[in-house]
Structures are given as C-alpha cells and as structure tokens.
Amino acid sequence: MPRPSEFAAVWLRDNCACAECRDPGSQQKLFQITDLPTELALSSETPVDLDGAPGWEVVWSPDGHRSRYADTWLAPPGDAEREDRTEETKLLWRAADLNGALPEGSWADYRQGGAVKARLLDAVAQLGFCLLRDVPVRDGQVLAVAESFGFVRETNYGRLFEVRVQERPNNLAFTGARITPHTDNPYRDPVPTLQLLHCLVNSASGGDSGLVDGFAAAALLREEDPSAFEVLSSTPVPFAFADRDTALRAHRPLIGLDPQGRIREIRFNNRSLGTLRLPGERTAAFYAAYRTFAELLLRPELCLDFRLGPGDCLVFDNTRLLHARTAFESSGGGHLQGCYADLDGLLSTRAVLRRNEEDRSEQDRAVLDLLESLFDGQGAAEYLGEEVTQAQHMLQAGALAQAAGAPPALVAAALLHDVGHLRGEVTGHDLMAGTDNRHSHTGAQWLARWFAPEVTEPVRLHVDAKRYLCAVEPGYVNALSPASVHTLAVQGGPMSPAQADAFAAEPFGADAVRLRRWDEEAKNPSAPTPAFGHFRPLLAGLLRARRRSAAPGPGPRVSCVR
Amino acid sequence: MPRPSEFAAVWLRDNCACAECRDPGSQQKLFQITDLPTELALSSETPVDLDGAPGWEVVWSPDGHRSRYADTWLAPPGDAEREDRTEETKLLWRAADLNGALPEGSWADYRQGGAVKARLLDAVAQLGFCLLRDVPVRDGQVLAVAESFGFVRETNYGRLFEVRVQERPNNLAFTGARITPHTDNPYRDPVPTLQLLHCLVNSASGGDSGLVDGFAAAALLREEDPSAFEVLSSTPVPFAFADRDTALRAHRPLIGLDPQGRIREIRFNNRSLGTLRLPGERTAAFYAAYRTFAELLLRPELCLDFRLGPGDCLVFDNTRLLHARTAFESSGGGHLQGCYADLDGLLSTRAVLRRNEEDRSEQDRAVLDLLESLFDGQGAAEYLGEEVTQAQHMLQAGALAQAAGAPPALVAAALLHDVGHLRGEVTGHDLMAGTDNRHSHTGAQWLARWFAPEVTEPVRLHVDAKRYLCAVEPGYVNALSPASVHTLAVQGGPMSPAQADAFAAEPFGADAVRLRRWDEEAKNPSAPTPAFGHFRPLLAGLLRARRRSAAPGPGPRVSCVR
C-alpha cells in the first residue's frame, strides 16, 4: 500500500475530506485552490485506524491542518474515476456480436427500479441502447420513459415529436423510403445526447429499424484508413437546419475526440451537412474521407436490424449510435412518438441505483458480520450441557437442513434457530435453572429485522414443535437429549390436544416440525460442522430477496429539489 | 470571380441546390454522399443569369446532372460559414473594456422582438451576456425569459431554482459569503450552456455580482504561461456532484478547445472538482497550472462588478463567463430565481431575427427600387406642358419640403405626391383632356401598402388643397401654372365655403396645404434637383418605422411544430 508521502502534496491536500474542507452532505469543496499555502508540505504521516479500515493521518506544514486518508482511497480499484463517455469504457459492437440478444426488459420490471432498470441503463451506457418492452401504448408515454431516468430536452420539434408512416404520404419523411444511418440534430450544440422512440402502431408489412455503433465504425475507420480518421476528427463541419422559426447551426467534426484522442462523439447526417468552406486540397481530402466513412457505415455487418412493435420503446445514445430505417412495403402504416433527453441524467440515475445496491450490499455485509460474531463469541460457549457448543449445534442444524434439500429459508431458520439464546437477557442457563427465556420468540423477533416469515416463523415455533411432537408422536420424548427433556417442562410440557390442533394449523407449523427434528439431531460432536462462512451466500440471497419483496412499486425518482 | 471548375468537383456537386438534390423548403439534402458517381467530373460550365444575378450552370459527367451556382455563392462574404462558438468570433473583454456600459435593454423593448432583442441576443453571442431590465418581479418569470429565445434545460435542480440570501442563514450558500468566479454544473455533460438569474428582491446593503470573461482569461493564460494553458486544455478533469437522488460526473478539461485549438468552453468550479488520478509528475504539473489559472481568474481587472436590482435578469453564456458574488454585509436579504437554457436556441432566435431583418431590408429595397423605376421610366416624360419632367417636379417638391425642415413623412409625401399620375390607368394627359384621373387618391391608395397616413394623407389631399387655397386665399390662383389652372376646373374648381371648412378640419389638411405650396413652386427648370437616391435612406427609415408600429406585441416565438 502506498504512503501519503508518495503522492503530490497539493493533490493530496486538495482531496482532504475533513468537514472543514468538504461539505459532509454534498461532498463539495469548501475552499479555493488559491486558499492553500503555496509552500504546502507534508510534515508527518502516521498510520491510523479509520472506523476499522487502515489509513493515514497527515499533518501539513505550514498550517498544521490534519487530513486522513484511507488506504482504499489512496489505492482505489482501477476504474474509480474512469471517464464514461469515450470508446474506452464502451462495449463496441457489430450486429453479430449481440447474437440476436437485444438488451431488453419489460416496462413493468424496469419500473421496479431495481436490477432490471440498472441493467437496461447499463446497456445504454455500454452498448449505446436498450429496448423497453410492453410500454403502455399511450399518447405521450415516451415522455414518462424519459422522465424515469432523466429530463426531456425540448427542441424546435417540441418536447415530443411524431413520426408517422402513412399509406398515402404527403411528405417524403412519411413514406416507406429507406433512411440511411444518421444521428439526429447535429445542428444543435449541445446536441441532444439521447433519443427515445416509442412505437404506438406498426401495421406495415416491413419497416425494420437499424442501429449502427458509430464508435465501432469510427474505430474501424481508424484501423483501415488512419488518415481519413485524422481528417474527419480534425475538421469542424457546419451542420444547418432552417425553417420559418429556426436557423440552427453547429460546427463540429464528424468524429469528436477527447483531449486524449479517444472517440467521444459521432455526428453524421448527410441531410443537414451545410456548406463546408476549406482550401481546395483540404476539401478534396475531407470529401474522400467522408465518402469512405459513409460507405463503411453502410456495411450490412455493422447494422443491427430489428423491428419495433407497438409498446416497444428504444432508448439510444445519439452521440454514438446511428439509426436507420430500412425500406418497407407501402401497405399498412406506422406511428412512433419520440423525444430527446440527455445521457448525464441517465448515467446519474444508473449511478444512484448502483450506489443504492452497494449501500445495501454494505448493510447486508454488516448483518452477516453481526450474525457471524454471535457464532464466534457467545456461540463458542458450551450448549447447556450438550457435547457440542451452541455454534456447533446451530451449524449442524443448518447443515442437516441443507442435506435434506430444505429451501434456503428453512436452512437459515435451522442455522439461526437458537440465536435467542445468544441475544436474550435471560440466558440458556436461566432456562436450565427453571426460567423460560422464550428464546424461540426473542430470536424470531430479532431476526425479523432482516428476514422474512419463512425464516422467522419456524424459529419462533421450534420450541412449540417439541411440545407438539411429544404430544402427537408416542416415544418422541425418548429421542430428546436429557437437557431438552429438562427444558420441556419449563417450556410448558407436551401440548394438550387443542394446543396441538392449533399448532398443526399454523402456516409454518410443518416447517417448524422439520426444523425440530434437525435440532434434536444436531448435537453430535463427531458430525461434520461447516463454518458460518459456508452459509453467508445463502443468507445474503435471502436478505436481497426480502428487500425486493418489501419494496415494490416504482424505484427511486430523480427529484427536482435543489 | 471564380469559375466552378476552380473548386473540388465533389464539394460543388454536394452543394447542388436544385430541387432534386435539396428539399426546397428545409434545404435538407435529399441524397447520400455515396449516391454520387465516384468518377464525378465537371463536363461543362456556362455563365448564366440566375434571376438577375450572375452565375454558372454546370453539367456533370457521367450522369448529366445540371447544377446552378450564383457568383455570390461561389465567392461569399468572408464570414458566410463562420463558426460562432469559439474565441474567434467573440469580443473578448476585461471589465474596463466595457466602459461601464452594460449590454442592457428593457423587457418591454426586448419583447417587441425587433432591433432591441436582436442587439441583446447579439451581446450574449459576442460578449457572453446581456442584462434585461424591468422584467416583471413575478415568480417563475425567469422561465418566460428563457422561453423568449429558446428552451429551458431542466436539471436535478428543477426547471427553476431559487437563490436566497437570508438574514439568518441555515446554509452556507445562503450567507453573504463571497463566492469566487465559477461556471455552473460542470458535472453535467452536456453542460447547460446558458444561465439566467432574475432578481426579485435585493435589500442587502452590498452583494454585487461579478462576471469574468473566461475566454479572455484563458487567452491571457495562453499568452503568459503557454505550458499551463497546454496542460489545462489537454487534461480531462473529473467533476462530480452527488446528493440523495443524484450522482453526476463529467470528465472535461478546464479549457476546452475545438479541433483547431481555438478556445471553445471553460469549466471552472473548485467546489465540484473531483479526484483527479494522474501519474505523479503530471499531477504536480496540473496543479501548478490550475493554481496559476485560478489566480489569474481572481485578478480584479478581469471582473465586471455590478449590482442586480429587482426586475433585472442576467442572461449569460455558462460555457464562457464565470460568475461570482462579492461579499456583502449581512443586513437585508436577497432572492433570485434562476434557470438554465442552451445557446443553440438563443443563436437560432438571433439568426431568425437577423434573417427577418434582412428579408425586410430586401423587401424595402424592392419597394424603393420600384419607386425609383417610376422616376426613371414614366417620370422622365414631360409634365403636362411644364418646363420640368414629372420626375424633376417631384424631386424638387421633396427637396423644397426638406429645405423647409418638414418632417420625413411630409418630405416623402412631397416627393411622391404625383405617383398617381405615373401609376394610374387614367393618365395626366387624360386629365389635361378633361377627365379627372383622381391621381391624388390613386397615388395615396397605392402608397398605403408601405407608408403610414402621415405620408399618404397629404398625397391624397394635395389636389383638394389647391381647390381649398383658391377658395380661401384671394389671388392664390394667380400663383398657379397655366396647366394647373386648366386642371383645376376638371378637378372641381375652388371649394365652396362648406367644403373649405370640412377640408380645414381634416387631420392632415395643414400638411396638404404645405405640400401644395411646394407643388406649385417645384416647376423650375433651373432649380437644383436631387437624384432619387438622395431620398432612399429617408424612405427606408419610414418603411422600418411603419413596420414597427404596425407589428406591436411580442416578437416571433420559436415554435414547437416539427
């Protein structure tokens, strides 16, 4: 691990995260770079513990300011501050690379705001598009889709625009003519970085949509004809659009690069390319390169063809993907509604989803750590005179449940059935001394903070299950260990017939009975006993499933409060 | 003038403007670059007349397509396709350059949509800002200002955001603390390119606003420290902002250049600069350059200080200007409302205004050409037996009016008073032969297409004025020329006393009498006679004024119909 003194002092100080230097809420810096001492130097560095994580405390000269840095911050994972708008972080593709599997999902699942939404927004970031299915076929619905991840960008075409293909067209744009791959609104600056197209009607007998990955095409051009790439990425081109109320113009290269020379933005639209005025020889070179790129973009292997049906909504990166419409027969008609939006909002929503997911994983880890600590701590104590420890007993119960093919929730219940002994103020020893600690109830109640009834109910009922079995199964009591026989009396003895009937009617009564039999068996000092870690993935899965079922409805909305 | 064959053939053909190649309405191209023959060559070029303008017809091989190009298109004015977002077309400034004169105008004048609006939008394009005064102090009014030239850009702060300075602040941002020059939302990509701030309340005793021209500052840095400029323009920097619902990040250099190396975009905001991860030596170089630029931006001579009062709305280019708030005393409070918008919409609106202005100038030119042609054509004919031509007579009348200090409208009336003779089907000769051609009425009616009653009414009444003067001024008839005496009878002879009373009550009767006296006098073959061109500016001014008064209310709105 690197030490603070290995870094540039001013950079380190500029990143001080103390409450004096950064607003603890927004993480915004509270000082100017010009506020820092010009003679800034690290006066000491001392290893420190930062809430359980290793790190360093630095004292600065000349001002004596103290900063703390975690080791994980000094040496973060490789993509900590990765730029996410250039070719570098994208998955460039040709049609065949997608193997016919579109990045798609249903609107209903997407609206839950969880994994499906995160996956589809990831697809827009990585592949440049996603396809939402079963979006309600409703006027203006495309705006609701845009608002689900960001903000609509209004343009001269309105907040929403209509694309109609008519049987008797009155305008070329509404015919079945082929429209070659292009990006939209290149004459806008800033260009709308996202486009949405929502299909309301498609009764035409043909009329497929096409998408071309412009980043992949530009990368191909760079490979095949580096000088053409150089010309197109270094020549600002005028794009223009005019009508009665509009006179838009933008000057941008067809292939936009970032300062490091990485592909960052494609603009390609022959219809609105204005008049380029360059010295003669540069004009010829530009046109040769332009034609080469245009021909490359028309290669069939680059173009992903698919068909939008009613309810489909395509969301795509207008700085990267070119969209096209293949020619189709003139029978039937089609109606799409479209709108523009911006990538920054979409990427923010994706990052919030990911952060929430990470926060939850973090919480889950903390829960599992807590449970594990019970097994390691008090759990290591002897188990009411049995030949196994409390922890061994519970781990064996879990293993027996798993070996019996029990569902994960019941495995967890078996594993955790005696946590009430470990958590309660009235201990197992008090129980042995004649005071019922109701450990099944206190354990179930405590576990209910994180686990569903499928886990907690068998736990709650596992003592009653012993009283039930002793009532309904002649000889069951003989299977009990001496300690268990002893506690049976404190716990109320075998059930009366009425109690047994009530127990049998409990939704989780049968599960509790299964658990109980493993409970009796899990006291064998020579049986294989897995470590707690063996059960962590199973428990983590239950925590995630609980969260999903407990939080239905739309996911987090980007709010508009400053 | 260049010939078509001097240009790159493919460029020339790509710019063919025939109806087959371009949609006559939208001017969008109807063909792909790949549709053009690869062996394209100019087969012939022939000079042609294009609606009165010189140009060329080109025939292309191998396909025989014909294109026509005007000379003015082949050799346009230097700035025909000038890029308008880089330093090249801006007026870079330091505070003193503005001489205390802000580019400002009243909301009422701006809303007329004419010259004031064009001038203020020009100021945003050229200086980076303008200041609207007397904007209604009304909640949400700032959105109406944005919509007057473009579209609101909604962000995580909403369509509209509030900036309040409170007497008892609960948040640092709402204190009177100094806020150093910065651009907004650098963590957005695309960044909002315009910001609007509308002052509703400013009862604080200080609290000036500051603006710094970031293009000028960057140009200064390039001059003073070229290597710092190089570092800042070539290093993408992470900007970040996060709150509960937002996790925005953008990687952009502090100084953005276009592919030609011209300054195009400034992002500067220390508060949201994220963690830059570069190799050690590059980190140190970046920080040195960053500090140098930050210090430069704080130079007092760069910062234009002014104070926003209630009703002031500042509109500024967020890709160029940095805004600041100087510290102020804590008494009193302030309330601004702000929103974001984009430059492309503003520049489009400006271009439409300019195009309309040019169209109108074009129309005005056509009207003046038409009038001039009357003076040159029929006007050169003899004037009913007078010793001057019709044209000389009218030019002299105009000159006499001007010499008498008459207002422009009356000068125009004098100049144009006899156009009815030149336009009417019943000629002056018919009048001489005994048929009243009512030339005063037909002339006034014709002129009313372009001119206000101040011009047309004296024309309409100038024959009646002769009849009136002959009735009320003994001996006036003696001043008339023989031809005029002759036509007096055809026109109805001197007025009756009742007619004279009615005439005297006409709103423009007195003007008509003044005109009439110049009319009698303007028949002197040896008097100086100005050319028609002498009166063109005066007439053009009247045409413009008429248009303004005839078209009150809001100016052209950018519409949202595709």
Side-chain angles (χ1 to χ4, degrees):
Chain A
M1 279 293 168
R3 301 163 69 98
S5 51
E6 295 172 38
F7 296 91
V10 61
W11 173 82
L12 204 60
R13 175 62 181 273
D14 191 44
N15 283 287
C16 177
C18 79
E20 202 179 302
C21 287
R22 272 176 199 260
D23 182 83
S26 68
Q27 292 295 306
Q28 301 281 95
K29 270 179 209 155
L30 299 173
F31 63 94
Q32 309 297 315
I33 186 71
T34 46
D35 294 336
L36 296 183
T38 48
E39 306 299 302
L40 190 72
L42 195 145
S43 130
S44 73
E45 56 184 350
T46 316
V48 287
D49 178 273
L50 302 172
D51 293 331
W56 295 85
E57 181 171 272
V58 166
V59 180
W60 297 98
S61 79
D63 63 353
H65 189 81
R66 283 165 195 270
S67 307
R68 289 160 163 241
Y69 306 95
D71 280 359
T72 51
W73 185 86
L74 289 171
D79 61 351
E81 286 288 337
R82 212 159 61 142
E83 148 98 70
D84 58 4
R85 293 282 284 273
T86 76
E87 58 176 320
E88 199 171 86
T89 51
K90 308 292 187 186
L91 296 170
L92 306 197
W93 53 265
R94 300 182 196 197
D97 299 331
L98 299 177
N99 281 321
L102 299 180
E104 62 183 291
S106 79
W107 174 244
D109 290 345
Y110 169 93
R111 285 184 70 218
Q112 300 299 314
V116 173
K117 183 169 183 173
R119 178 173 60 78
L120 292 174
L121 299 185
D122 267 340
V124 178
Q126 289 167 11
L127 298 172
F129 74 108
C130 76
L131 187 54
L132 283 161
R133 303 284 198 185
D134 306 319
V135 177
V137 175
R138 198 155 54 197
D139 181 55
Q141 181 68 25
V142 70
L143 299 175
V145 176
E147 287 163 356
S148 75
F149 57 70
F151 306 101
V152 172
R153 175 94 78 88
E154 188 173 353
T155 71
N156 51 308
Y157 303 119
R159 275 174 70 78
L160 178 149
F161 55 83
E162 310 278 352
V163 185
R164 288 178 200 274
V165 179
Q166 296 164 345
E167 283 206 66
R168 284 183 195 76
N170 58 358
N171 182 307
L172 261 181
F174 301 150
T175 68
R178 172 178 177 235
I179 300 178
T180 53
H182 65 281
T183 65
D184 263 26
N185 280 2
Y187 38 78
R188 281 211 168 268
D189 188 359
V191 72
T193 51
L194 282 176
Q195 183 172 174
L196 289 82
L197 287 173
H198 179 215
C199 180
L200 298 179
V201 178
N202 191 357
S203 59
S205 57
D208 286 349
S209 297
L211 288 175
V212 174
D213 181 355
F215 280 17
L220 197 57
L221 181 72
R222 182 172 52 199
E223 205 178 298
E224 297 183 358
D225 191 342
S227 66
F229 180 88
E230 160 62 23
V231 166
L232 297 187
S233 59
S234 64
T235 309
V237 166
F239 290 98
F241 176 83
D243 64 13
R244 195 182 61 112
D245 300 310
T246 310
L248 286 158
R249 293 208 332 180
H251 288 75
R252 289 286 192 164
L254 298 188
I255 302 174
L257 306 180
D258 83 344
Q260 251 94 71
R262 297 173 294 199
I263 299 164
R264 197 181 207 282
E265 187 174 299
I266 304 296
R267 295 198 187 207
F268 195 91
N269 191 318
N270 76 293
R271 282 172 287 153
S272 49
L273 186 73
T275 300
L276 183 69
R277 305 229 180 229
L278 292 172
E281 66 291 356
R282 285 184 57 205
T283 303
F286 172 82
Y287 266 88
Y290 172 36
R291 185 176 200 122
T292 301
F293 192 39
E295 284 167 352
L296 194 157
L297 286 167
L298 291 175
R299 290 187 196 168
E301 67 268 27
L302 293 191
C303 190
L304 177 73
D305 293 313
F306 56 96
R307 185 180 158 81
L308 289 180
D312 289 345
C313 183
L314 183 65
V315 180
F316 63 95
D317 180 347
N318 188 49
T319 68
R320 174 182 171 194
L321 295 205
L322 294 87
H323 60 292
R325 191 177 67 194
T326 54
F328 57 96
E329 294 164 37
S330 61
S331 64
H335 181 197
L336 305 175
Q337 287 187 327
C339 73
Y340 299 111
D342 281 306
L343 268 169
D344 52 6
L346 182 145
L347 296 175
S348 169
T349 301
R350 179 186 67 142
V352 169
L353 287 172
R354 192 186 282 163
R355 187 178 67 194
N356 290 347
E357 191 52 49
E358 282 165 5
D359 286 354
R360 286 169 194 144
S361 304
E362 190 61 47
Q363 287 164 16
D364 290 355
R365 196 159 36 245
V367 171
L368 298 181
D369 287 350
L370 175 61
L371 293 174
E372 184 160 3
S373 73
L374 294 179
F375 281 74
D376 290 346
Q378 279 182 270
E382 58 93 40
Y383 176 32
L384 311 184
E386 306 283 0
E387 288 182 74
V388 291
T389 64
Q390 293 255 25
Q392 280 174 314
H393 168 62
M394 288 162 71
L395 292 164
Q396 284 185 9
L400 288 165
Q402 210 159 30
L410 191 53
V411 173
L415 175 72
L416 302 171
H417 73 278
D418 273 349
V419 290
H421 278 320
L422 307 177
R423 295 284 310 171
E425 294 191 359
V426 183
T427 67
H429 292 282
D430 294 330
L431 173 64
M432 290 298 282
T435 306
D436 185 3
N437 63 357
R438 295 179 54 79
H439 75 279
S440 59
H441 289 75
T442 56
Q445 200 175 347
W446 186 66
L447 292 171
R449 293 160 66 182
W450 310 293
F451 294 99
E454 286 75 7
V455 176
T456 60
E457 283 294 284
V459 171
R460 182 174 70 84
L461 297 172
H462 84 275
V463 168
D464 282 349
K466 176 170 71 171
R467 298 178 53 222
Y468 169 79
L469 284 166
C470 290
V472 304
E473 272 191 24
Y476 186 83
V477 72
N478 302 332
L480 300 182
S481 69
S484 195
V485 172
H486 175 74
T487 56
L488 175 63
V490 184
Q491 289 159 339
M495 284 180 168
S496 67
Q499 285 175 325
D501 287 349
F503 179 87
E506 286 272 2
F508 293 94
D511 280 350
V513 165
R514 291 184 76 189
L515 192 165
R516 186 69 218 182
R517 295 187 200 275
W518 300 317
D519 189 356
E520 312 303 355
E521 202 180 333
K523 297 169 178 177
N524 178 358
S526 58
T529 308
F532 181 85
H534 168 77
F535 296 101
R536 285 186 73 119
L538 177 143
L539 294 172
L542 291 168
L543 292 173
R544 280 197 301 275
R546 174 75 196 289
R547 210 162 44 227
R548 270 200 294 278
S549 64
R557 261 285 286 125
V558 172
S559 105
C560 302
V561 183
R562 183 156 204 169
Chain B
M1 277 290 168
R3 302 164 67 99
S5 52
E6 295 172 37
F7 296 91
V10 62
W11 173 82
L12 203 59
R13 174 63 180 272
D14 191 44
N15 283 288
C16 176
C18 79
E20 202 178 303
C21 288
R22 271 177 200 260
D23 182 84
S26 68
Q27 292 296 306
Q28 302 278 296
K29 270 179 209 155
L30 299 172
F31 63 95
Q32 308 298 315
I33 186 71
T34 48
D35 294 336
L36 295 184
T38 48
E39 306 299 303
L40 190 72
L42 195 146
S43 131
S44 74
E45 57 183 349
T46 316
V48 288
D49 178 273
L50 303 171
D51 292 332
W56 296 84
E57 182 171 272
V58 166
V59 180
W60 296 98
S61 79
D63 63 353
H65 188 83
R66 282 166 196 269
S67 306
R68 289 162 162 240
Y69 305 96
D71 279 0
T72 51
W73 184 87
L74 290 171
D79 61 351
E81 286 288 337
R82 211 159 62 142
E83 147 98 72
D84 59 3
R85 293 281 284 273
T86 76
E87 57 176 319
E88 200 171 85
T89 51
K90 309 290 188 187
L91 296 171
L92 306 197
W93 53 265
R94 301 183 193 195
D97 298 331
L98 299 176
N99 280 322
L102 299 179
E104 63 183 290
S106 80
W107 174 244
D109 289 344
Y110 169 93
R111 285 183 71 218
Q112 301 298 314
V116 173
K117 183 169 183 175
R119 178 173 60 78
L120 292 173
L121 299 185
D122 267 340
V124 178
Q126 290 167 9
L127 298 172
F129 74 108
C130 76
L131 188 54
L132 283 160
R133 302 286 197 184
D134 306 318
V135 177
V137 175
R138 198 155 55 199
D139 181 54
Q141 179 69 25
V142 70
L143 299 175
V145 175
E147 287 162 356
S148 75
F149 57 69
F151 305 102
V152 172
R153 175 93 79 87
E154 189 173 351
T155 71
N156 51 308
Y157 303 118
R159 276 175 68 77
L160 177 149
F161 55 83
E162 310 278 352
V163 184
R164 286 178 201 275
V165 179
Q166 297 164 343
E167 281 206 67
R168 284 184 194 76
N170 57 359
N171 181 308
L172 262 180
F174 302 150
T175 67
R178 171 176 176 237
I179 300 178
T180 53
H182 64 282
T183 65
D184 262 27
N185 280 1
Y187 38 77
R188 282 210 167 267
D189 187 359
V191 73
T193 50
L194 282 177
Q195 184 172 174
L196 289 82
L197 288 172
H198 179 214
C199 181
L200 299 179
V201 178
N202 191 358
S203 59
S205 57
D208 286 349
S209 297
L211 288 175
V212 174
D213 181 355
F215 280 17
L220 197 58
L221 181 71
R222 180 172 52 198
E223 203 178 298
E224 296 183 359
D225 191 342
S227 66
F229 180 87
E230 159 63 22
V231 166
L232 296 187
S233 58
S234 64
T235 309
V237 166
F239 289 98
F241 176 82
D243 63 15
R244 195 183 62 112
D245 299 310
T246 309
L248 287 159
R249 293 209 327 182
H251 289 74
R252 288 285 191 164
L254 299 187
I255 302 174
L257 306 181
D258 81 346
Q260 251 93 72
R262 296 173 294 198
I263 300 164
R264 199 183 205 281
E265 187 175 298
I266 303 296
R267 294 198 188 209
F268 195 92
N269 190 319
N270 77 293
R271 281 172 289 154
S272 48
L273 186 74
T275 299
L276 183 70
R277 303 223 182 237
L278 292 172
E281 66 290 358
R282 285 184 55 206
T283 305
F286 172 83
Y287 266 88
Y290 172 36
R291 185 178 200 121
T292 301
F293 192 38
E295 284 168 351
L296 193 157
L297 286 167
L298 290 175
R299 290 186 196 167
E301 67 267 28
L302 294 191
C303 191
L304 177 73
D305 293 313
F306 56 96
R307 186 180 159 79
L308 289 180
D312 290 344
C313 183
L314 183 64
V315 180
F316 63 96
D317 180 347
N318 189 49
T319 69
R320 175 181 171 195
L321 294 205
L322 296 87
H323 60 292
R325 192 178 65 194
T326 54
F328 55 98
E329 293 164 37
S330 61
S331 63
H335 182 197
L336 304 176
Q337 287 187 328
C339 74
Y340 298 111
D342 281 307
L343 267 170
D344 52 7
L346 181 144
L347 295 175
S348 169
T349 301
R350 180 187 65 144
V352 169
L353 287 173
R354 193 185 280 161
R355 188 177 67 194
N356 291 347
E357 191 52 49
E358 282 165 5
D359 287 353
R360 287 171 193 142
S361 303
E362 191 61 46
Q363 288 164 15
D364 290 355
R365 197 160 32 244
V367 170
L368 298 181
D369 286 350
L370 175 62
L371 294 175
E372 185 160 1
S373 73
L374 294 179
F375 281 73
D376 291 346
Q378 280 182 272
E382 58 94 41
Y383 176 35
L384 310 183
E386 306 285 358
E387 287 183 76
V388 291
T389 65
Q390 293 255 25
Q392 281 175 314
H393 168 62
M394 288 159 73
L395 292 165
Q396 284 186 11
L400 287 165
Q402 211 161 28
L410 191 52
V411 173
L415 176 71
L416 302 171
H417 73 279
D418 273 349
V419 288
H421 277 320
L422 306 180
R423 294 284 311 172
E425 297 190 359
V426 184
T427 65
H429 291 283
D430 295 329
L431 173 62
M432 288 300 282
T435 306
D436 186 2
N437 62 357
R438 292 178 57 79
H439 75 280
S440 60
H441 288 75
T442 56
Q445 201 174 346
W446 186 65
L447 291 170
R449 293 158 69 180
W450 309 293
F451 293 100
E454 286 76 7
V455 176
T456 60
E457 282 294 283
V459 171
R460 181 174 72 83
L461 297 172
H462 84 275
V463 168
D464 282 348
K466 176 170 71 171
R467 296 178 54 222
Y468 169 80
L469 283 165
C470 289
V472 303
E473 274 193 20
Y476 185 81
V477 72
N478 302 332
L480 299 183
S481 68
S484 196
V485 171
H486 174 74
T487 55
L488 175 63
V490 184
Q491 290 157 338
M495 285 180 169
S496 68
Q499 286 174 324
D501 286 351
F503 179 86
E506 287 271 0
F508 293 94
D511 280 349
V513 166
R514 291 185 74 189
L515 192 163
R516 186 70 219 183
R517 294 187 202 275
W518 299 318
D519 188 359
E520 311 303 355
E521 201 181 333
K523 297 168 181 179
N524 178 359
S526 58
T529 307
F532 182 83
H534 168 76
F535 296 101
R536 285 185 75 120
L538 176 143
L539 294 172
L542 291 169
L543 292 173
R544 280 197 301 276
R546 174 74 193 291
R547 213 162 43 228
R548 271 201 294 279
S549 66
R557 260 285 285 121
V558 172
S559 107
C560 300
V561 182
R562 182 158 205 167

